[in-house]
Every structure is written in structure tokens, then in C-alpha cells.
Amino acid sequence: MPSETVFPDAKKNAFRAVELEPGLAEAHVALALITIWYDRDWATARSSLERALEFSPNNPDARLANGILLYCTGRRSEGLVELRLAVELEPLNLRNNIVEAQFLNFSGRSREALEISRNTLKLNPNFYLGHLMAATAHLEAGAFTEAETAADVSRELNPVDSLPRVLSAYAMARSGKKLEARIIVEEILDSGRQRYISPYNIALAQNAIGDSGAALLWLERALEQNDLRVIFLTGEPKWNNLRADPRFHDILMRAGLAM
């Protein structure tokens, strides 16, 4: 669903929760996550997390949110420390494991990301984000066949998410199957005419087949629509081919993201 359909009501309810129970750490964490994903309002998120950690220093969700905030505002090493702490505080939380893996992958540590994905899938073989993360890590490690296989499994487990198909297109394009990759991108675009698909994911798909102009146009739409995935621009290695482009730099600056 579009971020603009979901987050305004979520934000209203988070503010109401804080108003009703100012000492509830979870309410402050919820507000922080909303302001990170939707508003990219780092100051408000930081303030909310300071309150949350004041009330509950060992709250794993607060540590996770703090790790994301630190990473996206340029304090990457500190962010990874916080993400690790979130996992240590709640090692059976599948989501937290995969978020740590994601940001490790952003940092060029794809082998560690893959290992975390594999260990997470031992806890639940049907956790689609585990397979999705494995596909991403394989992709960055240059294991394109494995990336395609993991993306296919992720898609079977969650056919609504467009990202598995995007990763398949990347794997195919990088392994020389450019025509097959283009067919997948056309399928994604066609689906987007019938239902909502994240403009950020469409931008990734266009970038996968080397259409940087279209990718930048879709990133503009993602920014205009406050697509929650915009915060990944700062770390996602799939955008490395565009980092020298002034248009990409301008999008980053308008998104309030650290270089």
C-alpha cells in the first residue's frame, strides 16, 4: 500500500499513545519508527528514541530503530553496533535478524549477511524475508544463480511483494540474461498499472536493466510519495552506479540522507 495511505493514521495513533501513556517505551518507539520511515524527521525520531531508551534501555525495538537512525544519518559503525545489540537482546526475533543482515549487506559485508539469513531460516524456513535477504546477499557476492533461486522462493512465500521479482531481474541482468531481465521489468511495470507497487522498487527494476534515466524518474516519484524505502538510498549498493550522478545526489539531499 502507498505510504501516504498508511502512515498518517499510524502517526496519529502513535502520538495518541504517547499522550495516553508518556512512560510507555513502545509508544515512543512506534513514533520514532514512523518518523524515520515516513517523515525522515531525524530530530523527532532521535528525541522519541531517547525517551524510549530512558524508560526501557534494553528494549530491542528501540535499539533496532536507533541503529537504523544512526546508520541513515551517517553514523554507520554506531548503527551496526545498535542493530547487533537488538539481535542479542531478542535473538529469536526474525525481523531484527534480517534488518541487521540488510545493513551489513549495505556495508559490503555480504557473507555475514548471508550467514545471518541462513541462521534465521533455520528458525523458520518459511520466513520470506530470510529468503529475500539471502537473494540480496548472494547478488552482492556475485552468486547469481543462487540469488535467483532464493528470490523465487521468497516470491512463492509472498507473491504480493514486488522486490523478489526485482532481485530476479538483477540476477538475470548480471549473469548475462538481459532479455529475460527486461521481460521481468515489463511484467513489474504492467502489474503497477493494475495495483500499487512501490515506486522505489520500480526504480530498482529499471536500474537493474541499465535504464538509469527511468530509475531516477521513479526515484523522484518515490520521494514525492514518501515511499518508506527511500531511506535505503544511503546504503543500498545497487545504486552505486548512480552515486556520481548530480540528479541522484540531489534526491539524496532532498531526502535528508547522509552521503
Side-chain angles (χ1 to χ4, degrees):
M1 296 176 68
S3 295
E4 292 174 339
T5 301
V6 178
F7 280 104
D9 282 343
K11 188 175 181 179
K12 180 176 67 177
N13 282 289
F15 273 121
R16 181 64 176 147
V18 170
E19 180 183 293
L20 289 169
E21 185 55 74
L24 183 65
E26 287 81 1
H28 293 283
V29 173
L31 183 57
L33 285 169
I34 291 163
T35 52
I36 288 170
W37 293 116
Y38 183 63
D39 301 306
R40 298 183 303 281
D41 179 351
W42 313 124
T44 298
R46 187 173 294 109
S47 176
S48 296
L49 288 172
E50 286 172 355
R51 295 288 284 166
L53 291 168
E54 176 187 341
F55 297 125
S56 181
N58 291 324
N59 184 299
D61 287 343
R63 293 295 177 183
L64 185 84
N66 199 38
I68 295 170
L69 174 65
L70 288 168
Y71 196 98
C72 290
T73 53
R75 297 161 64 182
R76 297 189 174 190
S77 296
E78 294 172 78
L80 291 175
V81 169
E82 286 287 276
L83 294 174
R84 174 94 296 258
L85 180 56
V87 170
E88 290 173 351
L89 288 168
E90 196 176 15
L92 298 184
N93 187 313
L94 305 183
R95 179 206 59 187
N96 290 5
N97 277 273
I98 293 305
V99 171
E100 182 194 20
Q102 180 181 28
F103 282 88
L104 284 170
N105 195 63
F106 286 173
S107 302
R109 296 160 65 176
S110 58
R111 289 188 179 183
E112 293 172 69
L114 182 58
E115 184 64 21
I116 290 172
S117 300
R118 286 171 171 163
N119 289 335
T120 303
L121 288 170
K122 289 177 184 177
L123 297 172
N124 183 353
N126 292 322
F127 186 50
Y128 100 96
L129 286 176
H131 294 283
L132 193 68
M133 190 62 242
T136 301
H138 279 308
L139 194 57
E140 296 310 319
F144 303 128
T145 300
E146 291 84 349
E148 195 174 335
T149 299
D152 288 343
V153 174
S154 181
R155 186 190 183 202
E156 289 173 8
L157 292 169
N158 185 356
V160 174
D161 191 352
S162 57
L163 190 53
R165 294 295 280 161
V166 172
L167 296 180
S168 292
Y170 262 102
M172 289 177 178
R174 291 185 180 179
S175 63
K177 297 187 285 186
K178 298 189 181 299
L179 178 59
E180 292 93 330
R182 287 188 174 276
I183 289 172
I184 290 177
V185 174
E186 286 301 321
E187 290 173 352
I188 293 170
L189 290 169
D190 186 57
S191 295
R193 299 181 187 102
Q194 303 168 50
R195 64 178 179 88
Y196 174 78
I197 291 182
S198 156
Y200 179 92
N201 284 355
I202 295 177
L204 273 176
Q206 297 284 17
N207 199 48
I209 57 174
D211 193 341
S212 57
L216 287 163
L217 287 174
W218 280 102
L219 282 182
E220 287 282 356
R221 294 188 192 181
L223 187 60
E224 290 168 4
Q225 296 176 22
N226 280 342
D227 190 324
L228 63 92
R229 299 157 190 82
V230 164
I231 72 165
F232 297 146
L233 283 172
T234 186
E236 173 60 70
K238 296 177 188 63
W239 299 119
N240 288 349
N241 64 305
L242 293 180
R243 294 200 185 277
D245 191 309
R247 294 170 295 176
F248 185 84
H249 179 80
D250 179 61
I251 290 171
L252 273 182
M253 293 301 99
R254 284 187 283 130
L257 293 166
M259 289 295 288

